[in-house]
Amino acid sequence: MSTCVVTGGAGFLGSHLCDHLLKAGHRVICLDNLETGSLRNISHIRDADFVFDNHDITEFVRIEEPVDFVYHLASPASPIDYQRLPLHTLKVGSYGTHHMLGVAKQKRARFLLASTSEVYGDPQIHPQPESYWGHVNPIGPRGVYDEAKRYAEALTMAYHRQQGVDTHIVRIFNTYGPRVRPHDGRAVSTFLRQALQDKPLTVFGDGSQTRSFCYVEDLVRGLIALMESDAHLPVNIGNPDEYTLQELAETVIKVTGSRSEIVYEALPVDDPQVRQPDISKAREMLGWEPTIGLEEGLRRTIEQSGVERLVGALD
Ligand code: NAD
């Protein structure tokens, strides 16, 4: 049996990853300080091979037992969170990533960094291939997140090239599914919360900006395939089906059968105009592509989360 460390394992993506790894027969050590995650995301896990350690990874990390895989997901991830926690976000990307790469080096474990499509900033080419270096504002409100992830990528490549650590970097595009937080400020969770209460859906700007939405099951499959591959340079994982925010709002209204109307609010600073992954590399190197479309993914999210959780009635 191999042992996986998952940082941020009590978060949205991390908790789904823990579920999959346990199901595949791995032992899982989840490190999380519950800053944006929740014990509720992992409270269903009743497995002797699951260990939860409430630990802040910006502090030194010591793990006594052998480790085979380090999945490094810990980081505030939604704009609401990283703008509330700007210094913490920079520290997780820098000190936290240092500590986890140190663990991987010491244990001779494989390492995967959860990076983000935000490293492309407000992209000037479309769709975005991994070879694009990005168009990022380092000093804007999103800079703390974008630059933390760019630094984490640089650090990961340095550990790979200079220290010989078996590293992998995934650039994750917008992902949704059960356990999204109703008030995390992201489009899917916000629209679902509003639509399920027949409240107006608040679209930023005129709703013509685009995003692509990946269902969490597809994403997690991609993370594991990448960790098990020989790909050391960054790989995009996301769903290339592209929607305007207006189309997303209309789809959420359709799937929920809501009576909500759509209203328009000011566009946030540095909001990217377009976002669509070029996933040729993931297809070729990992044989990976998403299989769950938006309507199906939204239905599964509602079914598995339940309306109460999606509207925040349990918070
Ligand atoms: P999340 O906020 O639900 O999960 C992040 C987890 O990290 C939380 O459980 C939080 O408590 C934990 N954490 C934060 N700081 C920590 C610290 N110092 N020590 C230990 N734990 C800490 O977010 P998520 O959506 O699950 O994102 C997970 C990862 O995937 C992040 O690295 C994020 O940047 C990346 N990502 C997510 C998306 C997405 O659409 N969800 C897109 C791109 C990248």
Side-chain angles (χ1 to χ4, degrees):
M1 176 186 283
S2 57
T3 298
C4 307
V5 170
V6 179
T7 74
F12 162 52
L13 295 183
S15 63
H16 284 278
L17 178 62
C18 290
D19 287 342
H20 278 252
L21 293 171
L22 288 165
K23 214 162 139 193
H26 299 280
R27 178 172 163 74
V28 173
I29 302 172
C30 164
L31 300 184
D32 201 302
N33 69 347
L34 303 178
E35 182 65 64
T36 59
S38 164
L39 286 178
R40 194 161 68 196
N41 289 335
I42 49 174
S43 59
H44 61 281
I45 301 177
R46 304 259 179 277
D47 194 318
D49 291 317
F50 181 72
V51 179
F52 171 72
D53 186 359
N54 187 338
H55 185 76
D56 180 343
I57 57 146
T58 65
E59 306 290 334
F60 186 69
V61 176
R62 180 189 300 280
I63 297 173
E64 303 294 346
E65 59 186 288
V67 173
D68 304 283
F69 301 96
V70 176
Y71 288 89
H72 176 35
L73 275 67
S75 169
S78 82
I80 281 188
D81 290 328
Y82 62 71
Q83 287 174 29
R84 177 174 60 87
L85 300 163
L87 289 175
H88 182 77
T89 304
L90 286 162
K91 282 186 192 165
V92 179
S94 50
Y95 306 152
T97 305
H98 254 299
H99 292 150
M100 297 321 300
L101 278 159
V103 169
K105 181 182 169 196
Q106 186 207 356
K107 305 284 184 184
R108 297 182 187 279
R110 287 182 172 231
F111 176 91
L112 179 134
L113 170 70
S115 184
T116 169
S117 57
E118 299 293 332
V119 299
Y120 301 124
D122 187 7
Q124 309 295 296
I125 60 170
H126 193 60
Q128 295 84 55
E130 291 85 347
S131 55
Y132 179 54
W133 292 349
H135 181 250
V136 173
N137 175 3
I139 56 165
R142 304 172 78 100
V144 292
Y145 181 64
D146 304 3
E147 298 296 2
K149 291 291 185 180
R150 288 167 70 95
Y151 176 84
E153 287 198 7
L155 194 61
T156 301
M157 289 312 299
Y159 267 82
H160 176 64
R161 293 193 176 114
Q162 199 208 350
Q163 309 279 319
V165 179
D166 187 350
T167 62
H168 309 270
I169 299 174
V170 56
R171 291 186 179 153
I172 301 172
F173 283 64
N174 289 6
T175 302
Y176 69 99
R179 301 180 205 152
V180 286
R181 278 178 298 140
H183 292 280
D184 70 3
R186 290 169 169 150
V188 172
S189 44
T190 305
F191 290 170
L192 278 172
R193 172 171 53 79
Q194 294 168 331
L196 289 167
Q197 298 176 98
D198 289 325
K199 290 188 175 159
L201 270 61
T202 46
V203 166
F204 294 145
D206 63 3
S208 63
Q209 68 278 35
T210 69
R211 298 288 184 273
S212 9
F213 304 98
C214 187
Y215 188 66
V216 65
E217 296 286 320
D218 281 331
L219 191 277
V220 166
R221 209 168 31 82
L223 300 190
I224 295 171
L226 178 56
M227 178 68 111
E228 289 172 355
S229 78
D230 293 327
H232 299 297
L233 293 173
V235 177
N236 289 338
I237 297 283
N239 192 319
D241 291 347
E242 191 181 17
Y243 293 84
T244 65
L245 268 283
Q246 175 75 26
E247 287 167 338
L248 174 68
E250 287 165 1
T251 309
V252 169
I253 288 175
K254 179 178 157 200
V255 169
T256 53
S258 172
R259 293 191 306 270
S260 296
E261 52 170 355
I262 297 174
V263 297
Y264 301 88
E265 290 191 347
L267 207 56
V269 178
D270 295 337
D271 196 48
Q273 257 310 302
V274 289
R275 187 61 94 224
Q276 184 193 27
D278 177 337
I279 61 162
S280 320
K281 219 171 148 181
R283 281 197 174 106
E284 280 157 29
M285 299 186 76
L286 314 178
W288 177 89
E289 61 182 357
T291 56
I292 300 165
L294 183 59
E295 289 197 19
E296 172 64 16
L298 289 172
R299 270 189 214 101
R300 290 190 191 193
T301 304
I302 297 165
E303 239 171 66
Q304 290 177 34
S305 281
V307 171
E308 278 193 318
R309 189 162 179 182
L310 287 172
V311 300
L314 304 179
D315 295 340

